[in-house]
Amino acid sequence: MGSWQQLTKAAQRLSIGQKLAMGAVCLLVLLSIIFALHWAKRPDFAPLYTNLSPQDAAQMVDKLRSAKIPYRLAAGGTTIMVPSKDVYQTRISLASEGLPQASTVGFEIFDKTNLGTTDFVQKINYHRALEGELTRTIEQLAAVQSARVHLVIPNPSLFAQEQREATASVVLNLAGGGRLNQNQVKGITHLVASSVEGLKPENVTILDSWGNILSGGDGEENSLFTLTSNQLDLQKNVESYLSHKALAMLEKAVGVGNAIVKVNVELDFKNIEKTVESYDPESSVIRSEERNEQTSASQGGKSESSITNYEISKTVEHIVDKTGNIEKLWASVLINGTYISKKGKKGKEIKVYQPRSEEEIGRLTEIVKKAIGFDPARGDQIEVANIQFGTSPQPAQVNLKPSPLARMGSGMGRKVLIGIILVVALFFLKLALKQLGEIASSLQPTPSAPTMGGGEEGEKEVRYDPKAEIIKMANEKPDQLASLVRSWLTKE
């Protein structure tokens, strides 16, 4: 009986439930193999270009379609993805066709000379090139994703009083919705002003993508805004410095996490300049002296007169008060108590809160006063409270690493996953075939010895016993058995 007939006969003896289960396993294995093969043939896509303009994206898509290169669009159509193996080849081929086209035009606009170009067109091209070069330079900053620069350069006038000043406007699209500090804004302002002839920093206006003015064109308002921002930064730095200074000392005494210190300061930002002239009437010196002598011949007399000028000493003082001095400060301090171990009702060890003594709180208060420079004459205030800190839930751990499923979805991980799917599918297929084989072997007829009685109804089948035959042969024909064994041992 053939193997296929045995498997067919074994399948017929299965119950309906067993047939359904076997069919489901075979179907699952087949689908797994098809899915794994299809997934293995699917290319792994990688970004070709990002942050593309709609015009560049449209032209690139047309080129990819004509070249029959598979692609995908992402990030709202601003990112084009192609198979990872074709990224560099595709970039080279697109670059040879001038793609992507630069959204900003720089001084390369003058690479091609047109003899029929007028002076007006040349000036417009120069403005475009200057704006493009500034845009490219600003976009090199890490905090800036894209930028737009507009320049207004008036024509020179014959009369100085009629000459208008150059102005510039810059719109910034910041990366990740971040913010620029005043030093960065000031750096961009001076970059633009230094790149354009006759442009003053106060004539540069900088806005973000939300329309907020980062640096205004009005010099007075701009300086006031900058001063206010610097004052706030200085106040925050002073408060942070004093808070950390006091907290570092407290945590050495009460333990890390058992104290909170917040300091609020009021700084003096008055900029006062005064000149003092003081005179000392008791201190005088002779400045000049004049003597006149007159002799009269008729009277035979002689007269003298003298004039003495005195200079009173004068002191001139030019006093400039420094800004940023601390006028007043307030400090708030929270100190946690201690915990002692006690046994509960069931013998379980528990932690019991124990407030600190008044004497200890007083010593800690003096430590904080010395650390922050507390001055009662200045009107400083401090409040130290001993309270039990609440237990806040631990923040959830943020897993910045990609998930195992994401790692298995591309590259080498995908190949490993495909291999696992194939191994599991073949394992289930092997189990199914093994079960069918066992059923088929149970249906195979067992060999039997020759029947006794030549076809009589009472004949009995004698099962073939190899062990009994070997014993019988050893008793009846020992020489032949020994010769047979010897031939087996000497056979190569």
Side-chain angles (χ1 to χ4, degrees):
M1 183 181 295
S3 301
W4 177 253
Q5 294 178 353
Q6 293 179 4
L7 291 177
T8 304
K9 211 168 192 182
Q12 292 176 355
R13 296 193 58 180
L14 295 176
S15 63
I16 297 178
Q18 290 176 336
K19 290 180 180 180
L20 292 176
M22 192 70 67
V25 169
C26 294
L27 181 61
L28 179 62
V29 170
L30 181 61
L31 292 177
S32 300
I33 295 175
I34 294 174
F35 173 73
L37 295 177
H38 176 71
W39 195 16
K41 292 181 179 179
R42 189 179 63 177
D44 188 13
F45 283 83
L48 178 65
Y49 286 105
T50 59
N51 297 325
L52 292 172
S53 62
Q55 296 80 6
D56 288 342
Q59 295 181 13
M60 286 187 177
V61 167
D62 292 338
K63 297 296 182 182
L64 293 175
R65 285 177 180 173
S66 61
K68 296 182 180 180
I69 299 176
Y71 67 91
R72 289 180 182 176
L73 296 178
T78 60
T79 299
I80 298 180
M81 304 182 70
V82 297
S84 56
K85 61 183 181 62
D86 299 331
V87 170
Y88 302 107
Q89 181 79 24
T90 308
R91 284 180 183 173
I92 293 174
S93 60
L94 291 176
S96 63
E97 300 183 13
L99 292 175
Q101 295 179 352
S103 57
T104 56
V105 180
F107 283 111
E108 67 272 7
I109 195 174
F110 297 106
D111 292 343
K112 298 180 180 180
T113 304
N114 296 325
L115 298 178
T117 305
T118 61
D119 292 340
F120 177 76
V121 175
Q122 286 288 77
K123 290 180 180 179
I124 295 298
N125 289 338
Y126 174 73
H127 285 181
R128 291 180 59 194
L130 192 56
E131 291 175 353
E133 293 296 334
L134 285 173
T135 300
R136 293 174 181 175
T137 304
I138 295 174
E139 287 178 349
Q140 296 300 316
L141 301 178
V144 179
Q145 182 174 353
S146 60
R148 184 81 173 175
V149 179
H150 299 279
L151 298 176
V152 178
I153 304 177
N155 296 324
S157 176
L158 296 176
F159 304 98
Q161 62 271 18
E162 296 180 1
Q163 180 65 43
R164 292 179 298 174
E165 295 182 348
T167 58
S169 300
V170 182
V171 180
L172 303 177
N173 183 17
L174 303 180
R179 292 187 59 188
L180 296 178
N181 56 40
Q182 286 302 314
N183 291 331
Q184 292 173 317
V185 174
K186 188 177 180 181
I188 296 176
T189 302
H190 284 274
L191 169 67
V192 176
S194 303
S195 303
V196 181
E197 183 180 1
L199 180 60
K200 298 179 181 179
E202 57 267 21
N203 292 334
V204 178
T205 302
I206 301 179
L207 286 78
D208 60 8
S209 57
W210 300 99
N212 300 319
I213 298 178
L214 304 180
S215 177
D218 191 343
E220 183 177 357
E221 292 181 0
N222 187 31
S223 62
L224 180 60
F225 174 78
T226 304
L227 180 61
T228 304
S229 177
N230 291 337
Q231 290 175 356
L232 292 176
D233 291 340
L234 177 60
Q235 182 174 347
K236 290 179 181 179
N237 292 335
V238 172
E239 292 175 350
S240 177
Y241 170 73
L242 294 178
S243 300
H244 284 84
K245 186 178 178 181
L247 181 62
M249 296 188 66
L250 274 181
E251 287 184 341
K252 295 293 184 181
V254 300
V256 178
N258 290 322
I260 301 175
V261 179
K262 296 295 180 182
V263 178
N264 184 24
V265 299
E266 180 180 339
L267 302 181
D268 181 14
F269 292 108
K270 296 177 182 178
N271 190 6
I272 301 176
E273 295 185 10
K274 57 184 178 179
T275 303
V276 178
E277 293 186 4
S278 58
Y279 298 89
D280 187 3
E282 298 181 356
S283 177
S284 60
V285 294
I286 299 175
R287 181 179 182 183
S288 62
E289 185 176 2
E290 182 181 351
R291 291 178 176 273
N292 294 324
E293 294 183 359
Q294 295 181 355
T295 303
S296 176
S298 60
Q299 297 179 359
K302 182 180 175 181
S303 63
E304 294 182 1
S305 63
S306 63
I307 299 174
T308 304
N309 295 323
Y310 294 92
E311 185 72 34
I312 301 175
S313 62
K314 179 179 68 173
T315 303
V316 179
E317 295 178 345
H318 184 71
I319 302 174
V320 179
D321 290 342
K322 294 182 179 180
T323 60
N325 295 326
I326 298 178
E327 287 191 345
K328 193 175 181 180
L329 64 82
W330 298 264
S332 300
V333 182
L334 297 180
I335 301 177
N336 194 13
T338 59
Y339 292 86
I340 57 177
S341 299
K342 289 186 178 181
K343 290 186 178 181
K345 297 180 179 179
K346 297 182 179 180
K348 186 178 180 180
E349 185 176 350
I350 58 175
K351 299 290 185 180
V352 179
Y353 175 76
Q354 192 77 18
R356 300 181 186 272
S357 62
E358 294 292 335
E359 181 182 359
E360 186 179 2
I361 294 297
R363 292 198 304 267
L364 296 176
T365 302
E366 292 298 324
I367 291 175
V368 175
K369 287 183 177 180
K370 295 295 189 297
I372 63 177
F374 185 82
D375 187 3
R378 198 169 50 191
D380 297 347
Q381 299 179 12
I382 185 172
E383 180 69 25
V384 179
N386 178 209
I387 61 174
Q388 182 180 3
F389 286 6
T391 56
S392 58
Q394 295 294 331
Q397 297 292 333
V398 180
N399 186 14
L400 299 179
K401 297 182 178 179
S403 62
L405 184 60
R407 291 197 300 267
M408 297 294 288
S410 62
M412 184 59 67
R414 184 170 64 179
K415 297 178 181 179
V416 174
L417 185 59
I418 291 173
I420 294 175
I421 293 175
L422 291 176
V423 169
V424 173
L426 293 176
F427 175 74
F428 280 106
L429 183 61
K430 182 179 179 181
L431 290 180
L433 295 176
K434 182 179 180 182
Q435 186 175 0
L436 286 175
E438 291 177 355
I439 296 175
S441 62
S442 64
L443 298 177
Q444 186 175 1
T446 57
S448 58
T451 56
M452 302 293 294
E456 296 179 356
E457 294 182 359
E459 63 181 1
K460 297 181 180 179
E461 293 184 357
V462 180
R463 293 184 176 276
Y464 178 75
D465 190 357
K467 183 178 180 180
E469 291 294 331
I470 293 173
I471 296 174
K472 182 179 178 181
M473 185 176 182
N475 294 329
E476 296 179 355
K477 302 177 180 179
D479 297 336
Q480 295 181 4
L481 181 60
S483 177
L484 180 61
V485 172
R486 190 181 301 109
S487 65
W488 287 349
L489 294 176
T490 58
K491 186 177 180 180
E492 295 181 358

